[in-house]
Amino acid sequence: MTSPEPPRAVITDRVSDWADVVSRRFVVELTELKHSWPHAKSFRVDMGKLVRAGGIGTKLTDEMIQSPDTSIGHIRDALHQRCMYEVTSGKLNISLVEVRPHNYTYVTPISRIRSNHANTLVSVDGIIRRVSQPVAHLVRAVYRCRSCGALTDPIPQPRKQAEEPDVCPRCERKARFDLVQNRSTFVDYQRVQITENPEGAAGTQPQPLDVDMHGDIVGTVQPGDRVRITGIVRTQRQTHGGLKSPDFGFFLEGLAIKTEEKSYEEVRIDESDERAIRDLVARSDVCDLVGTSIAPSVYGHEHVKRAIALQLFGGVRKQMRDGTPRRGDVHVLLVGDPGIAKSVILRYAVKVAPRGVYTSGQGTTKAGLTAAAIKEEFNDGRWTIEAGALVLADTGLAAVDELDKMSDTDRSGLHEAMEQQTVSLAKAGITATLRSRCALLGAANPKRGRFDPYLPISDQINMPPSLLSRFDLIFVLQDRADPDADARLSRHVLQNHRPRDTENGTGTPAAETVDPE
């Protein structure tokens, strides 16, 4: 009986593997790094190229996802081999190169990040909610002893609090130290907060995630931008009342960020959907068909539904000869008696729109609609810009219910956002202009609760003329006392509440038409 062979140790040289891949697959990126140094210090690693390389590329991709810190260290060593002349001549400092893996197509929802994702590479999609001001972050500090004047070696600095040496390396005494800034290393730093897209949160509160960004990606995004961020999931110990807690929170160390330029890129259309769309285009009644598909459970209001359908499609943003932009979004206002399903239509329009944000004017402030400069723990007590509903709905639809319940001060923030489609903010030394290229769908009630047919309409809307002029379509909806119309409405409501037809498997109400007369 032969004894089993002892396990063999597999020796791998990942630095050589990465050096070979860099020289074969990333020649352009390597050349850009050499020519743009020190203005740009990023070496971009396209994950798609690694996967297409096959063989060793697949293994390197898996290691990059599971152990990104180790892989980034191997890449820096490989760059040192491939840039030996630039390093020895002082033209390139490999320790300051930021390795940025990108084009990682597997997206992890923010609400699904768990402890098993810690220290792994992930990609998340969302919308930028808060942005801090860029600062110079100390990463390696050199100190001078006040007693003997000796300089310390560069000391790596943690993320939250600067560290000083305990004793002087020369005189070996506890002394006070001064930071030598011209010998220390600083990098640009910014903290942002990304939240899940409102339309993808499935009716729940969008989950936020803090992101730390370093280097040349700082300052590339602003509140309201829809982005895909690739980074490493980190954990941070939480404290309660000054005591260390066993709980750790998640944050993302951002390595690469991509702004989604296309308005509806997340909408997936297959071949069958494309054929159905082309068939609809060929129909002569396509406008009426699309209009009746808006809130079909709501009886009547055909002209309002058709207008909202056209609003969802939107217009074309134009640029005048002198460079002045002209909006292509349509603003619609519904003013009517209570109980005629205005709120139902608004919520349905937000649900249909690929990018929609719904808010009620009764509990909304000007800062909640536009933007705000806040000061809280998110940015270590410094001022931070936070986007409001109109900025979050950029290139989409913003529905504001109960517009008449808002105060004049809060409503004043709508003027610029509706016409110029921007939101300007100047507070605490922060001056910013955010984009709000969205269509606004508003709903309001008359001043006296119901419309009076004997008074002018302008006197019954509790809104200033300057704001009314910014709406392209204003619909007045009245609930008139009409026995025949009430009977048709009652039959429509009863049919919607009937049990669904389970025999034909269509999932629609039983086949019965409502008598139009």
Side-chain angles (χ1 to χ4, degrees), residues 311-312 346 349-350 353 355-358 393 395-399 438-441:
Q311 181 189 32
L312 291 174
L346 262 64
V350 170
R355 291 180 177 175
V357 176
Y358 175 88
T395 67
L397 175 69
C438 63
L440 181 65
L441 176 60

Side-chain angles (χ1 to χ4, degrees), residues 177-496:
F177 295 88
D178 295 325
L179 178 66
V180 184
Q181 295 191 15
N182 59 350
R183 291 179 178 266
S184 302
T185 304
F186 295 85
V187 297
D188 295 329
Y189 170 79
Q190 187 179 37
R191 168 166 268 209
V192 304
Q193 186 181 83
I194 182 175
T195 61
E196 294 178 299
N197 294 322
E199 62 273 7
T204 61
Q205 176 69 24
Q207 187 75 22
L209 180 66
D210 294 344
V211 182
D212 287 353
M213 301 195 303
H214 300 83
D216 50 10
I217 63 173
V218 170
T220 56
V221 295
Q222 61 180 354
D225 288 346
R226 297 181 181 249
V227 297
R228 172 172 294 180
I229 300 180
T230 303
I232 305 174
V233 178
R234 303 294 190 187
T235 56
Q236 179 182 359
R237 182 188 290 271
Q238 299 178 351
T239 57
H240 297 289
L243 301 177
K244 293 183 178 180
S245 170
D247 301 330
F248 286 74
F250 297 110
F251 73 94
L252 192 68
E253 182 183 336
L255 300 179
I257 186 168
K258 176 186 176 184
T259 303
E260 302 291 347
E261 296 293 342
K262 296 182 180 179
S263 298
Y264 303 108
E265 186 172 323
E266 55 275 336
V267 179
R268 306 299 180 186
I269 299 178
D270 53 19
E271 295 182 359
S272 61
D273 295 333
E274 185 177 352
R275 287 194 299 268
I277 293 174
R278 293 186 181 275
D279 293 340
L280 288 175
V281 172
R283 298 182 55 166
S284 59
D285 61 341
V286 59
C287 186
D288 296 334
L289 183 63
V290 175
T292 55
S293 65
I294 302 295
S297 62
V298 177
Y299 178 77
H301 305 315
E302 289 81 5
H303 55 299
V304 175
K305 296 180 181 180
R306 191 178 298 111
I308 293 177
L310 296 175
Q311 181 189 32
L312 291 174
F313 280 90
V316 179
R317 186 178 178 86
K318 302 178 181 65
Q319 194 83 10
M320 309 305 291
R321 293 182 178 180
D322 59 353
T324 304
R326 286 291 181 267
R327 61 179 172 90
D329 299 298
V330 180
H331 301 317
V332 180
L333 176 63
L334 309 180
V335 183
D337 298 333
I340 56 175
K342 297 190 301 295
S343 300
V344 176
I345 295 177
L346 262 64
R347 290 186 179 273
Y348 193 92
V350 170
K351 184 179 68 173
V352 172
R355 291 180 177 175
V357 176
Y358 175 88
T359 181
S360 179
Q362 192 168 4
T364 304
T365 61
K366 178 181 178 181
L369 274 179
T370 55
I374 59 176
K375 191 175 184 180
E376 62 174 19
E377 187 181 355
F378 163 75
N379 192 28
D380 299 330
R382 296 189 291 268
W383 290 97
T384 304
I385 300 177
E386 182 174 3
L390 297 179
V391 178
L392 296 178
D394 185 41
T395 67
L397 175 69
V400 182
D401 201 358
E402 305 289 348
L403 264 175
D404 58 304
K405 302 299 190 299
M406 297 180 63
S407 64
D408 293 338
T409 304
D410 294 334
R411 275 199 302 251
S412 63
L414 294 174
H415 292 77
E416 178 191 359
M418 292 179 64
E419 187 61 34
Q420 307 300 328
Q421 295 196 308
T422 58
V423 171
S424 300
L425 180 68
K427 182 179 179 181
I430 299 175
T431 304
T433 301
L434 309 179
R435 293 175 300 208
S436 61
R437 301 163 298 179
C438 63
L440 181 65
L441 176 60
N445 293 326
K447 286 182 180 180
R448 299 172 179 85
R450 297 180 67 89
F451 268 105
D452 189 341
Y454 301 102
L455 292 178
I457 295 179
S458 59
D459 296 340
Q460 302 189 58
I461 302 177
N462 187 24
M463 297 175 66
S466 60
L467 183 59
L468 287 175
S469 64
R470 282 163 170 77
F471 285 99
D472 304 291
L473 296 174
I474 301 177
F475 293 96
V476 176
L477 308 178
Q478 293 182 264
D479 185 14
R480 296 187 177 93
D482 186 350
D484 296 334
D486 293 343
R488 291 194 296 268
L489 176 60
S490 300
R491 286 196 294 269
H492 177 82
V493 173
L494 290 175
Q495 180 159 338
N496 283 333

Side-chain angles (χ1 to χ4, degrees), residues 500-512:
R500 296 184 178 275
D501 187 5
T502 58
E503 295 181 0
N504 55 17
T506 59
T508 58
E512 180 178 339

Side-chain angles (χ1 to χ4, degrees), residues 103-161:
N103 196 20
Y104 181 34
T105 56
Y106 182 79
V107 178
T108 302
I110 296 177
S111 58
R112 297 290 183 180
I113 293 179
R114 297 293 183 268
S115 57
N116 60 311
H117 291 101
N119 300 317
T120 63
L121 190 74
V122 299
S123 284
V124 295
D125 282 348
I127 183 170
I128 300 296
R129 186 64 180 270
R130 298 177 181 176
V131 174
S132 68
Q133 293 285 49
V135 296
H137 183 67
L138 182 65
V139 292
R140 293 181 182 87
V142 176
Y143 293 95
R144 175 182 286 111
C145 178
R146 289 189 177 182
S147 298
C148 63
L151 298 179
T152 64
D153 293 332
I155 302 174
Q157 298 297 303
R159 175 171 165 268
K160 280 291 185 181
Q161 186 176 359

Side-chain angles (χ1 to χ4, degrees), residues 68-88:
D69 293 313
T70 304
S71 297
I72 289 175
H74 291 160
I75 294 174
R76 284 201 176 98
D77 294 339
L79 292 176
H80 191 279
Q81 293 183 7
R82 290 292 177 260
C83 305
M84 187 63 69
Y85 170 75
E86 288 79 5
V87 172
T88 54

